[in-house]
Amino acid sequence: MRSLHRSCKLGVAALVAMLGCRDERPLGLRDVKQVAVVALADTVRPGQTAALAAVALNITGDLLDVPVLWRSLTPALASVDADGTVLALAPGIATIRATAGSVFADQRLFLVNPPTAALADLPDSLILTLPGPSVRVTPSPLDALGASIIGAPSHWATDAARIAVVSADGIITPIAIGRAVLTVQVDAVSRTMPVRVTPTPSATAPVVTDVSPLLIHPGEPITIRGSGFTPGSNGPSVLLDGRALLVTSLSDTLITAVLAPAGLPCLPTSDVFLQVTTEGGIAAQKARLQVAPQRNPAAGTAELFLSAAAAGCVELPGEGHYIVTVVNAGRALGSGGISTQVEGLAGVGAPSVLAGLTAVGGLAGSAHASLLEQSRAQVQTLQLAPSGTARPALQLPAAGGITAVRIPDLDAANFCASFRPIDARVVYLGSKIAIVEDTTTVLGGVPTLAGTMDAAIAALGAEVESVIWPLLARFGDPLVMDSRLDANGRVVIVLSPVMNQLRNGEVLGAVVSCDFFPRAQLPSSNVGEMLYLQVPTSTAAGMAPGTLERWRHEIRGTIAHELKHVVSFAERIVRGQLPEESWLEEAGALHAEELYARAVLGLSPTGNTGYAAIRCEVLVLEGAGGCLGTPRLMRPHAEELWRFLAASQLRSPLGPSISGDRSYYGSAWSLLRWALDHAATSEAAFTTAMTNGGLSGVANLEARAGRNWDDMLLRWSLALATDGRADLSVTDPTLRFPSWDVASLFAGFCADLGSCAGGSASSGLFTREHPLQARVAVGNFTYSTANLPPGGFSVIDIAPGNAGTRRLLRLSGPNGTALNPNVRLAVLRVQ
């Protein structure tokens, strides 16, 4: 007996093996110190059983031969019999208690169903009568093998609670005459069930013989003819699709009523029932209700909805193929992003949820953008000194002479108060510009090319004066302030390796507002029209970064860009105008680069130019012989516009909606380009008025284009989506860019630099033939956008439906809340 006693001192882990081991000593329930429970599995499917075992132990861990009692602490979820067999009743977490004497132990069991694969025992449809009883519908969920699932919760919903309501447990109650669609969902499986509510026959019910007009519109009178309308003292109630009508006149045979439009949701045009209820019963007559305004754009044309109220509800022919853009028409980034929900109802099938756009794409450096913003801020805090009070600070000697120049320290918090002094040699002295070169031969321990580039600098100066300078007249006069500054009749271009070091080398060229004010106000000022440029750093031949040829390739377009900033600062400061907003100023500077490209290549502003015309600016980097000397022209435009369109619902032409982003350079340029294409009888007159017309930002562009901001945004968004796309028919010329074949540009860059020819597109650019990612919608759909920034837009490509049907577009805020007042909608029918 003693050996048996010792052999039973085992751990709880061996409990199952010990069930046959009992200590036969006469110990009682008072000796129980522990109860141990074990389950072979802790997960049970409702409807199935599980076996539990339990033993009682004394203080030394010996097994005691005493009875163990079982009880379920969660009887609604599981029951247990005397031998520990548990029956799972419903999903949940059950607790089973084993008790010996006064000691107990609990075992948790997880009662889990398999996923529902199908729903059975649901009628295809249901007819209820009014007045009449409620009906309970109980679906039977089945697993993948067709076995019943016990206790899986059902979730019910109705699309028309005014017609029929449904409780959480499937009790359906008729409310008014009409039709509703109920939806029941168990796990991820859902079924719909049409419900029709009809009047209970009654010999005393009123009779409706005619309803006119045949097509009912909210707010318009409805005439109902029949009999038996006035029995009883309370008069009849009149409903249309379960909604109460306002009765305006009444007799026994005639009712006139109206459906108030206030509070009416956006609904598809559909057959409904008009219901007249008296004390004698209910009469019903079919009618047709149209709530949504119907539009029928011709193929190739667009409908624009220029208010949130108009954009929120529209009905279109169902057979059409549409490109839809949803735009935030906010006029500044500070007006904030908006969230929208777009529903498309074609009348068939369950709605699909269109995936939102998550890919943002690579960001470009933003040093140049922040530099312009800081210059604008300086101008807004200063007043121009009276004419004649400013004294020249930079003395410009004859060619070969040396002059002292202050380069604003662009890395300083206030670069107008901090500068890097250099000595510069006059290399080129033309009639309109002078080019001076930093005499420093070593900077940061690295030799410079000072004194070795005179021929290249002279050629550059000649090209700037002969090609680029005449283009500046399209914006204004770069020297309009010259008599109040250094009075030397020239813009001074400073070449210095200091610029290669500032702002991490991201700024090829810079113009700062400091130079237009006296040094007494801004110590870094050179009191003249100044442009600061990086220099080449390598004596190697070819087009590698840092070489002279690569520098010549990049710097000429940069000069065109920066000289446009000189014009803008000078013209606006001398007139006492606020600086142009950065987004539109940069758009104009990229337009200056575009003008340079057109001058170099001999392009027409209405030539619908494709990639082939500008391809040399890519091939020259690969050493293509026929392209030698080609400057950088339109690549910056295409790169930044690609970045914008790759995430147009996350970005804005009005500035950086994402930290570090400068894609607005490309989108703002394309918006200006669109306005020039469609509003400018003279590009030069357009851009000159932009500079000196006294306006800035959105108001400036509106005044020059002769269109309001909402209209421009909508047409521009459609043009970006369709230009150059042969598969998208457009007859309205304002929905294209006559200047550039946008799709051709993207496809060409993708073929040469991106993924279209099997490349890796490591820059994150040109990874597909066209950057814009429209959400493709078929049948019923819902699509949500979150935080759409001002000027940003999302695009939905709606596939054609069945002929003779109607398609409803319904816009709202998230989860059906009120639509933000800045939402605008454009619908282009392409088929």
Side-chain angles (χ1 to χ4, degrees), residues 43-62:
T43 301
V44 188
R45 175 175 175 170
Q48 296 183 351
T49 60
L52 301 182
V55 293
L57 305 175
N58 64 13
I59 194 170
T60 60
D62 296 320

Side-chain angles (χ1 to χ4, degrees), residues 425 427 437-438 448-457 536 538-539 548:
R425 179 174 59 95
V427 181
E437 181 189 36
D438 193 333
T448 72
L449 302 187
T452 68
M453 303 188 301
D454 286 14
I457 292 172
S538 170
T539 59
L548 179 59

Side-chain angles (χ1 to χ4, degrees), residues 290-675:
Q290 179 188 324
V291 174
Q294 293 189 345
R295 298 289 185 267
N296 188 16
T301 66
E303 291 275 354
L304 307 183
F305 300 90
L306 300 176
S307 69
C313 187
V314 60
E315 199 165 44
L316 303 163
E319 63 270 20
H321 176 193
Y322 303 98
I323 301 295
V324 172
T325 59
V326 180
V327 173
N328 178 350
R331 298 169 69 90
L333 280 181
S335 60
I338 59 177
S339 298
T340 62
Q341 179 175 293
V342 183
E343 295 175 273
L345 301 178
V348 292
S352 58
V353 178
L354 304 185
L357 182 62
T358 56
V360 175
L363 298 180
S366 59
H368 184 274
S370 63
L371 178 62
L372 181 61
E373 275 296 302
Q374 288 172 276
S375 283
R376 290 183 69 248
Q378 286 285 359
V379 174
Q380 294 180 76
T381 61
L382 296 173
Q383 289 186 340
L384 182 63
S387 178
T389 61
R391 293 290 181 266
L394 183 147
Q395 303 299 316
L396 191 61
I402 305 297
T403 186
V405 176
R406 296 181 176 186
I407 297 181
D409 186 353
L410 305 182
D411 289 337
N414 182 358
F415 54 72
C416 285
S418 179
F419 58 89
R420 307 271 186 98
I422 67 167
D423 288 329
R425 179 174 59 95
V426 179
V427 181
Y428 177 87
L429 192 62
S431 63
K432 298 296 183 184
I433 69 162
I435 302 180
V436 301
E437 181 189 36
D438 193 333
T439 59
T440 302
T441 57
V442 176
L443 186 65
V446 178
T448 72
L449 302 187
T452 68
M453 303 188 301
D454 286 14
I457 292 172
L460 176 65
E463 183 176 3
V464 171
E465 291 213 325
S466 63
V467 179
I468 296 177
W469 189 270
L471 303 176
L472 301 178
R474 293 170 173 258
F475 302 97
D477 182 2
L479 299 173
V480 67
M481 281 187 66
D482 195 58
S483 63
R484 304 175 71 156
L485 298 172
D486 53 17
N488 62 20
R490 296 173 179 88
V491 174
V492 179
I493 299 176
V494 182
L495 308 181
S496 173
V498 172
M499 288 294 295
N500 296 57
Q501 297 181 327
L502 297 174
R503 299 285 175 121
N504 297 315
E506 292 182 12
V507 178
L508 279 176
V511 171
V512 294
S513 59
C514 327
D515 287 318
F516 295 89
F517 295 89
R519 282 184 177 171
Q521 291 177 292
L522 301 174
S524 68
S525 174
N526 289 295
V527 196
E529 301 88 346
M530 308 292 293
L531 166 54
Y532 308 94
L533 295 177
Q534 288 190 16
V535 296
T537 56
S538 170
T539 59
M543 295 294 292
T547 63
L548 179 59
E549 281 304 309
R550 182 63 172 263
W551 177 79
R552 289 188 69 252
H553 169 74
E554 295 175 340
I555 211 66
R556 287 173 279 175
T558 301
I559 291 173
H561 183 114
E562 298 301 331
L563 284 179
K564 193 279 175 188
H565 292 328
V566 172
V567 175
S568 185
F569 278 132
E571 291 278 12
R572 285 175 171 267
I573 290 172
V574 80
R575 287 175 168 79
Q577 299 172 4
L578 290 175
E580 180 57 270
E581 292 183 14
S582 291
W583 68 273
L584 191 52
E585 176 62 21
E586 294 297 1
L590 262 75
H591 178 56
E593 293 187 60
E594 178 195 1
L595 292 175
Y596 175 57
R598 291 192 342 217
V600 169
L601 300 175
L603 302 176
S604 165
T606 57
N608 195 34
T609 304
Y611 179 72
I614 65 169
R615 192 182 183 206
C616 261
E617 70 175 289
V618 172
L619 298 184
V620 69
L621 299 177
E622 302 172 4
C627 296
L628 293 180
T630 301
R632 188 195 68 192
L633 300 169
M634 295 301 297
R635 183 170 174 176
H637 308 65
E639 287 181 343
E640 299 306 338
L641 185 55
W642 203 99
R643 285 188 173 96
F644 171 80
L645 290 176
S648 65
Q649 70 176 40
L650 304 176
R651 292 177 172 164
S652 169
L654 299 178
S657 59
I658 301 169
S659 177
D661 177 41
R662 53 171 281 173
S663 68
Y664 68 90
Y665 278 50
S667 54
W669 163 76
S670 73
L671 182 55
L672 173 59
R673 180 66 263 170
W674 180 91

Side-chain angles (χ1 to χ4, degrees), residues 122-141:
L122 277 174
D124 292 333
S125 62
L126 194 65
I127 299 176
L128 303 177
T129 57
L130 187 73
S134 300
V135 174
R136 182 168 187 166
V137 175
T138 305
S140 298

Side-chain angles (χ1 to χ4, degrees), residues 214-240:
L214 296 177
L215 182 63
I216 297 174
H217 296 90
E220 297 182 1
I222 304 168
T223 301
I224 308 164
R225 291 180 173 84
S227 61
F229 294 156
T230 57
S233 58
N234 296 326
S237 69
V238 184
L239 305 179
L240 182 68

